[in-house]
Amino acid sequence: MVKAQSSGPSSSPFSGWFGGGTGNESSPVDLDFSVDGGDDELLPQIRATSLLVSAQDEGRVTGQDMLAAARGDYARILGVLYDNGYYSGLIDITLDGVEAATVAPLDAPSVVRKVQVHVQPGPRFRYSRAEIAPVAPGTELPRDYHAGAIARTGDMKTAATAAVSGWRDVGHAKAEVASTDIVADHATNLIDSRIHLAPGPELRFGKLTIRGYQRMNPRRLRKIAGFPEGERFDPEKLEDVRKRLRRSGVFSAITLTEADYIGPGNTLDVDLLVVEQKLRRLGAGFEYSNTDGLSLTGYWINRNLFRGGERLRVDASISDIGGDTGRDYSLGVRVDRPATITADTTGYVLAEVESLAEEDYDLKSGTFGLGFTWIPSDELTADIALQYRALRVDDDSGRTNFRLFALPASITWDKRDDQNDAKRGFWLSGGAVPFVGLQDETGSGAQLTAEGRAYYSFGTDDRFTLAGRARLGTVVGPEIEETPRDYLFWSGGGGTVRGHSYESLGVEVIQGPDGPVKTGGMSIVTLTAETRIQIREKIGLAVFADAGRVWEDSAFSGASGWQAGAGAGIRYKTPIGPMRFDIATPVGGGDGDDGGVQVYIGLGQAF
């Protein structure tokens, strides 16, 4: 026999002892559970589902509360027994020695001192037969639904649900369980389970009706949804419709409802109900480093600019406030139009201006471009654009003007379980930026980049997380002095090697009036390893090490320099992601001027 006892919340020992009780008195309650037989997991499951335990934990311990909870627990405990394969159990629940089932709801005692729950599960039943038919090709049924296995009701329900889903996946939208024949033989402790399905006919998508829109143009709404009218029914395609509408950012609620009845020609109509979000949104963010200073970012969004789901976004940022170099500014305007060319393709135009005052150079740039983003699934994103760019660089070699056309393209595969605070999975990205110089000072070539991130967690509730990141890039084609400065690579700072100053590691190959001029390199590799430990529900620690190497030539060749840093930090969970506070110090390499401690504060994990 397994037993567990707990005591209820404390109160006056005289509560409810004198006079006629009103049924509302609160008193200490001894709650005793015992299971005679069965396995060790049965008692915890019974306690977890018990209304008596919930009532005691919440301080609802009047006689009326205890009686109501006890009467409800008969069915709950029976459900636990059935779900563990026990079909001849006995359940006794007594309130101060009186069986709860014999007490009328209106005759509840004023006070209950002791509640005893005694369960005799009896023998465990197994399947003598476990059949379900007909089953669609490719359907995966529960592994434990077969003759000889423990006869759990949960496995029967899961088998029926999986079988219905299997038929829906191949176009039979109205598949359902036609009948169930489940017989328990108490003489042999066997269950005979037979589930018969009615697949119904194969259906095609019919008409889509839309409701709830206000500012949105209904023609554009249909195009964004990409409803597959006339195609074979597939629940995944309905989910794709929901995802496209959600990605547009226009709607706060999206409900797709299949028609109750089959339409002419074996078609199935679908009703779409949407609720539009507020038209405008404003947001901001920040990050702080003790050497780079404070960085502020902000944005303003109009979600439905021309009533066709077009999104206007204005981004502005100021960085290096209080840092070692001058302040940096940027301003960008972008208009996205969903369902351009295809339902999964978003077209966009953008205009950006930027002013950077770095330690070794000043850069002013302007970019105008148009492009397309293709999102065939939640995990895969591809982007391509055509841009005209103008840049002006001032450094110790003088002033250099760059004019070019660029064709940036990228693809990202995201398999993380959580984009803001990943515990498992990986993230891969690759990019190429071919560019053509429009004057003698600007060369032609391509910038190539790749990045991978991986996450692995272990321990209770994934308390420990190992995270790693590798990044590499190179520029092929032009000479270094002919390459736009923002296509070159630097190391140092929060995005590369923490502990070293921002962009502290580059190369010295461009000749100026006073000798070599420091600039970014033509190739780079950076590596990061981080261990994250969850200390409490909202508080975590991180220990990390970063390293980077920069080369002066393409294809990771020529003279190079390296740097490494290490540190630790605190993470505090917020509704919009973890707040990050990191302290890092150089542990090797660099230019000799990176001594001291660097502090980084931001929202979100480092990667």
Side-chain angles (χ1 to χ4, degrees):
M1 178 179 291
V2 184
K3 290 188 176 181
Q5 285 189 326
S6 60
S7 296
S10 61
S11 62
S12 169
F14 303 104
S15 175
W17 279 27
F18 301 101
T22 64
N24 295 319
E25 291 85 348
S26 179
S27 64
V29 177
D30 276 343
L31 185 54
D32 178 76
F33 281 80
S34 62
V35 177
D36 191 359
D39 59 25
D40 293 339
E41 297 180 357
L42 203 53
L43 177 60
Q45 291 182 36
I46 290 173
R47 288 187 58 87
T49 194
S50 171
L51 294 175
L52 285 164
V53 172
S54 299
Q56 186 189 57
D57 291 343
E58 296 169 8
R60 296 181 290 105
V61 292
T62 65
Q64 186 66 55
D65 290 329
M66 288 292 99
L67 177 61
R71 292 176 67 89
D73 268 0
Y74 285 106
R76 285 176 168 260
I77 295 172
L78 188 63
V80 172
L81 294 178
Y82 283 1
D83 206 32
N84 283 273
Y86 300 100
Y87 294 89
S88 57
L90 297 176
I91 304 169
D92 291 311
I93 304 177
T94 60
L95 309 180
D96 290 333
V98 179
E99 185 70 36
T102 66
V103 181
L106 298 180
D107 292 336
S110 59
V111 177
V112 173
R113 299 297 185 188
K114 186 174 184 63
V115 179
Q116 290 181 300
V117 180
H118 180 67
V119 179
Q120 299 179 58
R124 208 166 205 173
F125 284 58
R126 294 183 177 270
Y127 292 114
S128 61
R129 175 164 47 184
E131 292 181 355
I132 184 167
V135 176
T139 302
E140 293 187 7
L141 297 175
R143 292 179 301 175
D144 293 331
Y145 186 68
H146 63 83
I150 296 172
R152 295 183 171 92
T153 53
D155 290 333
M156 301 182 211
K157 295 175 183 177
T158 303
T161 301
V164 169
S165 296
W167 279 113
R168 284 175 55 82
D169 289 342
V170 294
H172 297 256
K174 293 303 181 182
E176 61 182 358
V177 176
S179 63
T180 58
D181 188 8
I182 302 171
V183 178
D185 187 338
H186 291 268
T188 59
N189 301 326
L190 293 174
I191 292 287
D192 186 327
S193 173
R194 286 175 288 178
I195 302 172
H196 181 69
L197 300 174
E202 182 178 302
L203 304 180
R204 293 177 293 109
F205 284 110
K207 301 292 184 181
L208 177 70
T209 59
I210 55 175
R211 299 180 293 124
Y213 58 90
Q214 297 175 341
R215 295 179 295 268
M216 191 71 182
N217 183 316
R219 184 185 64 83
R220 284 287 298 150
L221 196 159
R222 289 181 181 276
K223 190 169 183 180
I224 294 170
F227 182 71
E229 183 176 338
E231 296 183 20
R232 192 187 78 176
F233 176 85
D234 186 342
E236 283 297 322
K237 292 182 179 179
L238 274 186
E239 183 60 25
D240 289 342
V241 170
R242 182 178 291 106
K243 290 175 181 177
R244 293 185 193 110
L245 294 170
R246 186 172 62 245
R247 282 199 301 262
S248 73
V250 177
F251 309 105
S252 60
I254 302 159
T255 304
L256 287 162
T257 306
E258 300 170 18
D260 293 332
Y261 302 101
I262 298 174
N266 285 340
T267 58
L268 184 68
D269 295 339
V270 176
D271 178 75
L272 169 63
L273 175 63
V274 296
V275 178
E276 295 183 9
Q277 294 203 70
K278 291 182 179 178
L279 187 61
R280 298 172 182 85
R281 180 182 177 185
L282 187 67
F286 76 95
E287 186 166 344
Y288 175 78
S289 165
N290 64 324
T291 56
D292 303 331
L294 179 66
S295 297
L296 300 176
T297 60
Y299 65 87
W300 179 84
I301 292 176
N302 184 308
R303 290 189 172 96
N304 196 5
L305 187 62
F306 303 121
R307 299 175 57 85
E310 301 86 359
R311 176 163 49 180
L312 168 65
R313 177 170 176 138
V314 180
D315 286 274
S317 69
I318 304 175
S319 57
D320 286 344
I321 302 173
D324 296 337
T325 61
R327 294 183 183 179
D328 300 335
Y329 303 89
S330 69
L331 176 66
V333 179
R334 173 167 167 156
V335 178
D336 289 78
R337 183 179 186 270
T340 300
I341 302 178
T342 71
D344 292 319
T345 305
T346 296
Y348 63 88
V349 294
L350 62 85
E352 300 172 344
V353 292
E354 187 175 36
S355 175
L356 303 179
E358 305 300 341
E359 182 177 354
D360 299 299
Y361 67 93
D362 291 338
L363 181 146
K364 290 179 170 57
S365 68
T367 300
F368 176 80
L370 58 92
F372 300 93
T373 301
W374 179 53
I375 308 178
S377 70
D378 287 342
E379 300 169 351
L380 192 64
T381 302
D383 189 278
I384 190 169
L386 176 63
Q387 299 178 346
Y388 171 77
R389 307 196 64 215
L391 302 91
R392 189 183 76 190
V393 178
D394 293 295
D395 54 25
D396 291 341
S397 66
R399 174 169 292 180
T400 307
N401 293 300
F402 297 93
R403 301 290 185 272
L404 64 140
F405 279 116
L407 190 69
S410 64
I411 186 167
T412 301
W413 188 20
D414 190 348
K415 293 286 289 184
R416 296 173 296 177
D417 59 347
D418 186 336
Q419 293 183 0
N420 294 322
D421 188 10
K423 296 287 188 181
R424 297 180 183 277
F426 61 85
W427 184 94
L428 299 175
S429 180
V433 188
F435 57 91
V436 177
L438 301 179
Q439 58 186 31
D440 292 340
E441 291 178 295
T442 310
S444 299
Q447 183 203 59
L448 307 175
T449 57
E451 180 175 344
R453 307 173 187 176
Y455 308 85
Y456 175 73
S457 296
F458 59 95
T460 304
D461 296 326
D462 287 339
R463 180 184 176 192
F464 300 92
T465 300
L466 303 179
R469 177 177 64 183
R471 305 169 67 185
L472 57 89
T474 189
V475 178
V476 296
E479 299 295 328
I480 191 169
E481 62 270 13
E482 300 173 333
T483 304
R485 294 297 184 264
D486 56 352
Y487 288 169
L488 298 176
F489 302 103
W490 298 81
S491 182
T496 52
V497 179
R498 287 165 286 185
H500 290 263
S501 300
Y502 177 68
E503 292 192 351
S504 57
L505 179 62
V507 297
E508 294 183 347
V509 292
I510 299 177
Q511 293 296 318
D514 301 321
V517 176
K518 188 174 181 181
T519 186
M522 295 285 278
S523 302
I524 190 173
V525 170
T526 63
L527 302 172
T528 297
E530 190 163 294
T531 300
R532 301 166 186 169
I533 307 169
Q534 200 66 34
I535 303 300
R536 302 184 65 180
E537 181 181 357
K538 292 188 175 182
I539 299 176
L541 298 178
V543 180
F544 55 84
D546 302 339
R549 182 177 287 272
V550 177
W551 288 263
E552 66 179 35
D553 293 333
S554 301
F556 314 97
S557 61
S560 65
W562 70 280
Q563 59 183 193
I570 297 174
R571 306 290 186 266
Y572 181 80
K573 285 189 176 181
T574 72
I576 57 175
M579 183 73 73
R580 170 169 45 92
F581 178 86
D582 288 338
I583 299 177
T585 185
V587 296
D591 59 9
D593 298 326
D594 292 324
V597 173
Q598 309 286 323
V599 177
Y600 306 92
I601 302 174
L603 186 62
Q605 295 286 4
F607 61 94

